[in-house]
Amino acid sequence: MARLIEEKDASEEVRTVYEDIKATRKTDWINNFWKAIAFHPPSLRLLWTQVKQVMAPGALDPLTKEMIYVAVSVTNNCRYCISSHTAAARAKGMTDEQWAELLAVVALANETNRLAIGYDVPVDEKFLQE
Amino acid sequence: MARLIEEKDASEEVRTVYEDIKATRKTDWINNFWKAIAFHPPSLRLLWTQVKQVMAPGALDPLTKEMIYVAVSVTNNCRYCISSHTAAARAKGMTDEQWAELLAVVALANETNRLAIGYDVPVDEKFLQE
Amino acid sequence: MARLIEEKDASEEVRTVYEDIKATRKTDWINNFWKAIAFHPPSLRLLWTQVKQVMAPGALDPLTKEMIYVAVSVTNNCRYCISSHTAAARAKGMTDEQWAELLAVVALANETNRLAIGYDVPVDEKFLQE
Amino acid sequence: MARLIEEKDASEEVRTVYEDIKATRKTDWINNFWKAIAFHPPSLRLLWTQVKQVMAPGALDPLTKEMIYVAVSVTNNCRYCISSHTAAARAKGMTDEQWAELLAVVALANETNRLAIGYDVPVDEKFLQE
Amino acid sequence: MARLIEEKDASEEVRTVYEDIKATRKTDWINNFWKAIAFHPPSLRLLWTQVKQVMAPGALDPLTKEMIYVAVSVTNNCRYCISSHTAAARAKGMTDEQWAELLAVVALANETNRLAIGYDVPVDEKFLQE
Amino acid sequence: MARLIEEKDASEEVRTVYEDIKATRKTDWINNFWKAIAFHPPSLRLLWTQVKQVMAPGALDPLTKEMIYVAVSVTNNCRYCISSHTAAARAKGMTDEQWAELLAVVALANETNRLAIGYDVPVDEKFLQE
């Protein structure tokens, strides 16, 4: 089980990242993921920079990004990631109905992926031209 | 490589599904995936019923559903599925910028999934209550 | 692409394994997988010993074992493995109809696996007792 | 953790599916998977239709189908799915010896899949012709 | 949960393997993995032979081999395997800093794998020649 | 297939990253992966920063890092990634013998991962204390 670095025990370097996480997310709470990665401060800094940039509003809205995150986490069977990103998606407005449809699409995609792989379906000319 | 059942060679049972695919998608074209599954008509019928229901507009819009499909297909490394659903997402309005952000989120999620798994991060109390 | 060690170029050590493969399978043909692994003779010997034991008739018949092999290979998206073990299953009597049902079960299992993971379904007491 | 819809709390729509599950399986017990999916009745109905058709006796017998299910679930690391389908396979006659051989084939296939992928073994001409 | 065969309950055949494990590893302790596999003695014998050969010092040193094992186990999300091989790597000298860097590389590789797959990057001529 | 941004067609922003890649790697060659990611310059910059930091010599030497990269890429079945990182490992001194042992460990780990998952082996007390 991960050793978690609590805020009161954090080095100056780690605390700076924690403060930026709290400011960016407008919360006073740090979830366990960051407390675990803080074990290796260079990873913490690098990763937070990346998450902050990739998950910011852009051509895709933040809720769509969170739902894509959940889709990958379910496919990879990462319990922590499903829990944290489902909570994040809910905080951004995901309804129960949307969550159920998200899982239905993820499940369907995992099913049809194996049919395409098993039957070894050749990619249509038309898709290659695009 | 899959044996593909072309429309002209299709049995009555298969043709009926092909016609419904074309009517539902407002196209006169059947992509290879369906021609491969047609090898086993009961699978073809069952699968088309499922795809038609799950991918229909609902609490999630069709473009979001296609992007979730692409996220799963990239994670599973299914070339056919990435090609066909990227084309479908583009047909539903996905821009180049959105596609690039979609891949960035998928890649980030695959990265952080392994950090959460490797560090064995315990699920926060707060996530369990929700 | 793998460097393949053809029979005429094989060392004594490799040739001995090749001969045993041909005798065991009652064929005069070595498929590419073994010619690739022959690059590292200790791996070749160890692996052939293992395949010979695990795939031999036992509590499960050889055709069932081949179909389980295909199920794993489709789930892992290994093209070579799907091709070679589908051919082996056909050689052991798998019909077209059985192949289609095999793929349908593999696809369904991949779908429901993601629903069980996504909804985080708790294992029933009854299953734990067994 | 999934919210489970118990029979006494089920809507008419959900209850109808539950009754069909019990009748089809000749049991008076609904396992947690269905109680979790019942959260989204359209998914419940669609999925049960699919499971009922795909897992019914056909060109493959029900025990073989359950073992294929277990093979996929072990490869995907889905704890719930392994537990429930191992129990189902046992109920259909799988012996301890068969279970051990099933796991041995699944493990071997996962091993050789990576050797075929790592060495990038080209598919033999002979397999392509078939 | 696995049925574990303790040393005192082991058959002659199983005990012989247990003794070889203890002698090879210079320990008087058998970890649960072997006690679980002992359920099927032919698998136990075959697997121990394989582990003993593959993990022995060779062209790669034992610590590097253990870290490769951890990399695969994190990617596959196998909790038991991560725990046991992280412990083994630590026993062979892996420092906290090395562990953190190992996880950082595993996470990065999982990220860039999905970018290469998603963008469908063609293999460079130069890599094919090598 | 990815659209590749060649150096002569690169924007100022992309060219700056390309120059840093060439300077850091002491080469005048950019491999296709970077030319594909250049489609989205913010991803290119962020990713190169990350790769440069994570793959730099640290507590683990660069060759060990490349071999860990190959282990993950084989497990994920990413052809491009296996090709490019095997080439990189060779350039850093990996011998044929080391490559063969690397694949043998990756294959073994994928095998035993499924046995640990299938038998549901409980983590030993001893591993939890560490």
Side-chain angles (χ1 to χ4, degrees):
Chain A
M1 201 70 102
R3 286 181 248 174
L4 304 177
I5 312 292
E6 298 298 334
E7 291 184 69
K8 64 177 173 44
D9 306 319
S11 67
E12 191 57 34
E13 187 182 8
V14 167
R15 203 187 320 263
T16 307
V17 179
Y18 281 4
E19 290 307 321
D20 194 37
I21 292 173
K22 295 196 290 186
T24 305
R25 295 183 164 176
K26 300 187 202 323
T27 174
D28 61 353
W29 182 63
I30 300 287
N31 59 306
N32 287 343
F33 180 75
W34 301 106
K35 292 180 185 167
I37 309 299
F39 176 74
H40 192 236
S43 291
L44 177 69
R45 250 183 308 117
L46 191 60
L47 195 68
W48 170 242
T49 304
Q50 193 186 1
V51 168
K52 200 175 164 179
Q53 179 179 316
V54 174
M55 299 305 283
L60 296 177
D61 64 283
L63 174 54
T64 299
K65 288 184 173 183
E66 288 294 351
M67 291 195 298
I68 291 166
Y69 225 114
V70 172
V72 171
S73 302
V74 169
T75 303
N76 283 332
N77 193 2
C78 176
R79 177 51 38 208
Y80 185 85
C81 317
I82 298 171
S83 298
S84 59
H85 289 279
T86 298
R90 285 209 168 107
K92 286 171 182 153
M94 183 178 69
T95 64
D96 277 2
E97 185 70 18
Q98 287 177 320
W99 183 59
E101 288 193 10
L102 166 58
L103 290 188
V105 176
V106 168
L108 176 66
N110 273 288
E111 180 189 23
T112 58
N113 276 211
R114 268 59 184 206
L115 287 171
I117 291 167
Y119 280 104
D120 196 14
V121 185
V123 178
D124 306 67
E125 280 298 309
K126 204 165 167 173
F127 293 149
L128 290 173
Q129 288 155 11
E130 277 164 55
Chain B
M1 201 71 103
R3 284 183 250 171
L4 304 176
I5 312 292
E6 298 299 333
E7 291 183 68
K8 62 178 175 44
D9 306 318
S11 66
E12 192 57 36
E13 185 181 8
V14 166
R15 203 188 319 264
T16 306
V17 179
Y18 281 5
E19 290 308 318
D20 193 37
I21 291 174
K22 294 196 289 186
T24 305
R25 295 186 164 172
K26 300 184 201 328
T27 174
D28 61 353
W29 182 65
I30 300 287
N31 58 307
N32 287 344
F33 180 75
W34 302 106
K35 293 179 185 167
I37 308 300
F39 176 73
H40 192 234
S43 291
L44 177 70
R45 251 184 307 115
L46 190 60
L47 195 67
W48 170 242
T49 305
Q50 192 186 3
V51 167
K52 199 173 163 181
Q53 178 179 315
V54 174
M55 299 305 284
L60 295 178
D61 63 282
L63 175 53
T64 300
K65 287 185 174 183
E66 288 294 352
M67 290 195 298
I68 290 165
Y69 224 115
V70 172
V72 171
S73 303
V74 169
T75 302
N76 282 333
N77 193 2
C78 175
R79 176 53 39 210
Y80 185 83
C81 318
I82 299 171
S83 299
S84 59
H85 289 280
T86 297
R90 285 212 168 105
K92 285 172 183 155
M94 182 178 70
T95 65
D96 278 2
E97 186 72 18
Q98 287 177 319
W99 183 60
E101 287 194 11
L102 165 58
L103 290 188
V105 176
V106 168
L108 177 65
N110 273 290
E111 179 189 23
T112 58
N113 275 208
R114 270 59 186 208
L115 287 170
I117 291 167
Y119 279 104
D120 196 13
V121 185
V123 179
D124 305 68
E125 280 299 310
K126 205 166 166 171
F127 293 149
L128 291 173
Q129 290 156 8
E130 279 165 57
Chain C
M1 201 70 104
R3 285 181 249 173
L4 304 177
I5 312 292
E6 298 298 334
E7 291 184 70
K8 62 178 175 46
D9 307 319
S11 66
E12 193 57 35
E13 187 181 7
V14 167
R15 203 187 320 263
T16 306
V17 179
Y18 282 4
E19 290 307 320
D20 194 38
I21 291 173
K22 294 196 290 185
T24 305
R25 295 186 165 172
K26 299 186 204 324
T27 174
D28 61 351
W29 182 64
I30 300 288
N31 59 307
N32 287 343
F33 180 75
W34 301 107
K35 292 180 185 166
I37 309 299
F39 176 72
H40 191 235
S43 292
L44 177 69
R45 250 184 308 116
L46 191 59
L47 195 67
W48 170 242
T49 305
Q50 192 187 0
V51 168
K52 200 174 163 179
Q53 180 179 313
V54 174
M55 298 306 283
L60 296 177
D61 64 282
L63 175 53
T64 300
K65 287 185 173 181
E66 289 294 351
M67 290 195 297
I68 291 166
Y69 224 115
V70 173
V72 171
S73 303
V74 169
T75 302
N76 284 334
N77 193 4
C78 176
R79 178 50 39 209
Y80 185 84
C81 317
I82 299 170
S83 298
S84 59
H85 289 280
T86 298
R90 286 209 168 108
K92 285 171 184 156
M94 182 177 71
T95 64
D96 278 2
E97 185 71 18
Q98 287 177 319
W99 183 60
E101 288 194 10
L102 165 58
L103 291 188
V105 176
V106 168
L108 176 66
N110 273 289
E111 179 189 21
T112 57
N113 276 206
R114 269 59 186 208
L115 288 171
I117 291 168
Y119 279 103
D120 196 14
V121 184
V123 178
D124 305 67
E125 279 299 310
K126 205 167 167 171
F127 293 149
L128 291 173
Q129 288 155 11
E130 280 166 54
Chain D
M1 201 71 103
R3 284 182 248 172
L4 304 176
I5 312 293
E6 299 297 335
E7 291 184 68
K8 62 177 175 47
D9 307 319
S11 66
E12 192 57 35
E13 185 181 10
V14 167
R15 203 187 320 264
T16 306
V17 179
Y18 281 4
E19 290 308 320
D20 194 38
I21 292 175
K22 294 196 288 187
T24 305
R25 296 185 164 172
K26 301 185 201 323
T27 175
D28 61 353
W29 181 65
I30 301 287
N31 58 308
N32 286 344
F33 179 76
W34 301 107
K35 292 180 185 166
I37 309 299
F39 176 73
H40 191 235
S43 291
L44 177 70
R45 250 184 308 116
L46 190 59
L47 195 67
W48 170 242
T49 304
Q50 194 186 2
V51 168
K52 198 174 165 180
Q53 179 179 315
V54 174
M55 298 305 284
L60 295 177
D61 63 282
L63 174 53
T64 300
K65 288 185 173 181
E66 289 294 352
M67 291 196 296
I68 291 166
Y69 224 116
V70 172
V72 171
S73 303
V74 169
T75 302
N76 283 333
N77 193 2
C78 175
R79 177 54 38 210
Y80 185 84
C81 316
I82 299 171
S83 299
S84 59
H85 289 280
T86 297
R90 286 211 168 105
K92 286 172 182 153
M94 182 178 69
T95 65
D96 278 2
E97 186 71 19
Q98 286 177 320
W99 183 60
E101 287 193 13
L102 166 57
L103 291 187
V105 176
V106 169
L108 177 65
N110 273 288
E111 178 190 20
T112 58
N113 276 208
R114 269 60 185 209
L115 287 171
I117 291 167
Y119 279 103
D120 195 14
V121 184
V123 178
D124 304 67
E125 279 300 310
K126 206 166 165 172
F127 293 149
L128 291 173
Q129 290 154 10
E130 280 165 56
Chain E
M1 200 71 100
R3 286 181 248 174
L4 303 176
I5 312 292
E6 298 298 334
E7 291 184 68
K8 61 178 174 48
D9 307 319
S11 66
E12 191 57 35
E13 186 181 7
V14 167
R15 203 188 320 264
T16 306
V17 179
Y18 281 6
E19 289 309 319
D20 194 37
I21 291 173
K22 294 197 289 186
T24 305
R25 296 185 163 174
K26 302 186 201 324
T27 176
D28 61 353
W29 182 65
I30 300 287
N31 58 307
N32 287 344
F33 179 75
W34 301 107
K35 293 180 184 166
I37 309 299
F39 176 72
H40 191 235
S43 291
L44 177 71
R45 249 183 309 116
L46 190 61
L47 194 68
W48 170 241
T49 304
Q50 193 186 2
V51 168
K52 199 173 163 180
Q53 179 180 313
V54 174
M55 299 305 283
L60 295 177
D61 63 281
L63 174 53
T64 299
K65 287 184 174 182
E66 289 293 352
M67 291 194 298
I68 291 166
Y69 225 116
V70 172
V72 170
S73 303
V74 169
T75 302
N76 284 332
N77 193 2
C78 176
R79 176 51 39 210
Y80 185 85
C81 317
I82 299 171
S83 299
S84 59
H85 289 280
T86 297
R90 285 210 169 107
K92 285 172 183 155
M94 183 178 69
T95 64
D96 278 1
E97 185 72 18
Q98 287 177 320
W99 183 60
E101 288 194 9
L102 166 58
L103 291 188
V105 176
V106 168
L108 177 65
N110 273 289
E111 179 190 20
T112 58
N113 276 207
R114 267 61 185 207
L115 287 170
I117 290 167
Y119 279 104
D120 195 13
V121 185
V123 178
D124 305 68
E125 280 298 311
K126 206 166 166 171
F127 293 148
L128 291 173
Q129 289 155 11
E130 279 167 55
Chain F
M1 199 71 101
R3 285 182 248 173
L4 303 176
I5 312 292
E6 298 299 333
E7 291 183 68
K8 62 178 175 46
D9 306 317
S11 67
E12 192 57 34
E13 186 181 8
V14 167
R15 204 188 318 264
T16 305
V17 178
Y18 280 5
E19 290 307 320
D20 194 37
I21 291 173
K22 294 196 290 186
T24 305
R25 297 186 162 174
K26 299 186 203 327
T27 176
D28 61 352
W29 183 63
I30 301 288
N31 58 306
N32 286 345
F33 179 76
W34 301 107
K35 292 180 185 166
I37 309 299
F39 176 73
H40 191 234
S43 291
L44 178 70
R45 249 183 310 115
L46 190 60
L47 194 67
W48 170 242
T49 304
Q50 193 187 1
V51 168
K52 198 174 164 181
Q53 179 179 316
V54 174
M55 298 305 283
L60 296 177
D61 63 281
L63 175 53
T64 300
K65 288 184 173 181
E66 288 294 351
M67 290 194 298
I68 291 165
Y69 224 115
V70 173
V72 170
S73 304
V74 169
T75 302
N76 284 333
N77 193 4
C78 175
R79 175 55 36 210
Y80 185 85
C81 316
I82 298 171
S83 298
S84 59
H85 289 280
T86 297
R90 284 211 168 107
K92 284 170 183 156
M94 182 177 69
T95 64
D96 278 1
E97 186 70 20
Q98 287 178 319
W99 183 59
E101 288 194 11
L102 166 58
L103 290 187
V105 176
V106 168
L108 177 65
N110 273 288
E111 179 190 19
T112 58
N113 276 207
R114 268 60 183 209
L115 288 170
I117 290 166
Y119 280 103
D120 196 12
V121 185
V123 178
D124 305 69
E125 279 300 310
K126 206 166 165 172
F127 294 148
L128 290 173
Q129 288 154 12
E130 278 165 55

